[in-house]
């Protein structure tokens, strides 16, 4: 006898744009901040946000019952460059493909807004994030944030192509 197939990841959650000030977005952003501070001894201020359309967006993934599982956004960093920030998947939701699907949703949304490149930063100790980003086509680049510590921070970049290519 065989076990029934596991539900597909696509049916396990939905991803939608929300206000960065929504309760779930704030809760997950604060959890990310606590995790980064515990790992590195410091973290960017979670209060600073520039995710308002049309120069950015903040997305939230939630189970059908409403439990928030992941968050992240992009903001305009140049005429056609989107900077992905505050990407976070709750520990209980990790390892199920949500990170990849969430990153693809951010990239798709940025492409729809005319962005042709995505940049992001992560910490050297965040091996899961580094693995995800490189598997999704991101390559290491020089830091684009002045004063970053190269012993801690890693900057990555990826060409997004055009909106028609992403469909």
């Amino acid at each position: 006898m065989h076990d029934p197939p596991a539900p597909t990841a696509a049916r396990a959650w939905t991803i939608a744009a929300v206000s960065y000030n929504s309760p779930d977005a704030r809760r997950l952003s604060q959890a990310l901040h606590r995790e980064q501070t515990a790992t590195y001894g410091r973290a960017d201020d979670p209060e600073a946000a520039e995710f308002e359309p049309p120069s950015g967006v903040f997305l939230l993934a939630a189970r059908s019952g409403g439990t928030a599982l992941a968050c992240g956004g992009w903001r305009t960093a140049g005429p056609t460059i989107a900077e992905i920030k505050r990407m976070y998947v709750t520990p209980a939701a990790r390892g199920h493909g949500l990170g990849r699907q969430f990153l693809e949703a951010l990239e798709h949304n940025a492409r729809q807004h005319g962005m042709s490149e995505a940049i992001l930063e992560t910490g050297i100790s965040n091996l899961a994030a580094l693995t995800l980003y490189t598997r999704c086509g991101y390559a290491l680049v020089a830091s684009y944030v002045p004063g970053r510590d190269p012993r801690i921070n890693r900057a990555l970049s990826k060409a997004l192509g055009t909106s028609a290519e992403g469909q």
Side-chain angles (χ1 to χ4, degrees):
M1 179 168 200
H2 297 284
D3 291 331
T8 63
R11 289 185 223 150
W13 51 74
T14 58
I15 299 174
V18 298
S19 166
Y20 184 69
N21 292 318
S22 71
D24 283 334
R26 302 304 296 152
R27 183 176 53 77
L28 293 181
S29 294
Q30 291 292 333
L32 169 62
H33 186 262
R34 285 189 302 275
E35 196 171 294
Q36 289 175 326
T37 301
T39 302
Y40 301 106
R42 59 189 157 138
D44 289 343
D45 180 5
E47 300 304 315
E50 298 148 20
F51 303 113
E52 294 301 317
S55 59
V57 71
F58 200 78
L59 301 179
L60 190 78
R63 285 196 174 102
S64 59
T67 304
L69 302 171
C71 69
W74 68 266
R75 66 181 183 183
T76 301
T80 59
I81 301 171
E83 181 185 21
I84 294 175
K85 296 199 55 86
R86 307 275 195 286
M87 191 163 148
Y88 177 74
V89 177
T90 60
R94 294 175 188 167
H96 301 286
L98 176 55
R100 177 181 292 271
Q101 187 178 0
F102 198 88
L103 181 59
E104 289 170 355
L106 285 169
E107 292 170 348
H108 179 75
N109 187 282
R111 241 188 330 273
Q112 288 182 314
H113 286 85
M115 301 294 127
S116 61
E117 179 183 358
I119 58 174
L120 56 84
E121 274 192 333
T122 193
I124 192 168
S125 296
N126 194 342
L127 299 179
L130 285 167
T131 299
L132 170 67
Y133 298 140
T134 55
R135 284 184 178 164
C136 289
Y138 285 77
L140 290 172
V141 296
S143 179
Y144 56 87
V145 179
R148 289 296 201 213
D149 185 343
R151 295 169 296 169
I152 297 174
N153 301 98
R154 292 293 179 264
L156 298 103
S157 175
K158 176 183 177 178
L160 296 179
T162 64
S163 183
E165 291 171 5
Q167 293 179 13

